[in-house]
Amino acid sequence: MNIKKLTNMALLLALALVISVVELQIPMPVPIPGAKLGLSNIIILVSLYFYGFKASLTISLLKSFMLVLITGAVSAFFYSAAGAILASIAMVLALKFHDKLFSFIGVSEIGAFAHNLGQIIVSVVVMENIKMFYYLPLLVFVGTFTGFFVGLSSNFIIKHMKKLDIGEKLK
């Protein structure tokens, strides 16, 4: 791994972490437990586009782990990590069809759904109650709006990074 790539990935991780910490201070307009804006996912989608699955997943999991160290919310790590893993897998698959089927908004929407699904799966295991899946449509509804904004923002950032030659798109 070259120095430029490592430095860019470290900066993306730091940025994702700062956005997550700031986002914790923003109250959700609707009081839905587990729902959040997911603004740091902009950084995850950008890292997925430029640096691939492994780098993006690493940034996602490190962000989740470091957020636990900052906030002390240990149980949130399991929800976040499961969502990050499923979202990264779903988004890398969707990104393969980016030019033909999906825009960045579509890739982000798929990632938001997978993240919510991961959170619900963890809650089913933790609570030992399959009925937690009833909560999924509500999370998906909120995730639709936040996923749209994340995808739109990612699109602008990726275009700008290409102009500045900051990252190299994977072949």
Side-chain angles (χ1 to χ4, degrees), residues 68-83:
V68 167
L69 296 177
I70 292 169
T71 64
V74 177
S75 62
F77 172 75
F78 300 105
Y79 294 93
S80 178

Side-chain angles (χ1 to χ4, degrees), residues 6 16 36 41 61 63 69 74-75 80 105 143 146-147 155 168:
L6 186 62
K36 61 181 195 158
N41 293 327
L61 292 175
K63 178 200 71 151
L69 296 177
V74 177
S75 62
S80 178
I105 294 171
T146 60
N155 190 35
E168 297 177 15

Side-chain angles (χ1 to χ4, degrees), residues 12-170:
L12 288 170
L13 171 61
L15 188 56
L17 190 58
V18 167
I19 291 171
S20 292
V21 170
V22 169
E23 184 180 4
L24 289 172
Q25 306 306 313
I26 301 171
M28 278 295 289
V30 277
I32 300 171
K36 61 181 195 158
L37 296 173
L39 299 177
S40 66
N41 293 327
I42 296 168
I43 306 305
I44 304 307
L45 187 54
V46 168
S47 68
L48 180 65
Y49 181 80
F50 285 112
Y51 301 110
F53 173 73
K54 285 171 53 174
S56 176
L57 183 61
T58 301
I59 290 170
S60 292
L61 292 175
L62 283 173
K63 178 200 71 151
S64 297
F65 179 71
M66 292 173 140
L67 206 54
V68 167
L69 296 177
I70 292 169
T71 64
V74 177
S75 62
F77 172 75
F78 300 105
Y79 294 93
S80 178
I85 291 167
L86 282 182
S88 293
I89 291 169
M91 287 192 302
V92 77
L93 293 174
L95 201 56
K96 291 196 184 291
F97 301 105
H98 166 255
D99 296 329
K100 296 176 184 141
L101 293 176
F102 302 113
S103 65
F104 285 110
I105 294 171
V107 172
S108 177
E109 293 284 356
I110 289 168
F113 175 80
H115 194 279
N116 290 333
L117 182 62
Q119 288 178 317
I120 292 295
I121 290 170
V122 169
S123 70
V124 165
V125 171
V126 169
M127 308 249 185
E128 298 177 351
N129 187 352
I130 195 78
K131 291 182 180 179
M132 292 303 295
F133 275 105
Y134 290 141
Y135 190 56
L136 183 61
L138 189 58
L139 283 178
V140 169
F141 178 73
V142 172
T144 300
F145 295 105
T146 60
F148 179 83
F149 178 75
V150 166
L152 189 64
S153 301
S154 299
N155 190 35
F156 288 123
I157 291 170
I158 289 168
K159 283 181 181 178
H160 188 67
M161 285 178 71
K162 282 183 191 177
K163 284 181 188 174
L164 296 175
D165 194 31
I166 293 175
E168 297 177 15
K169 184 181 183 306
L170 296 171

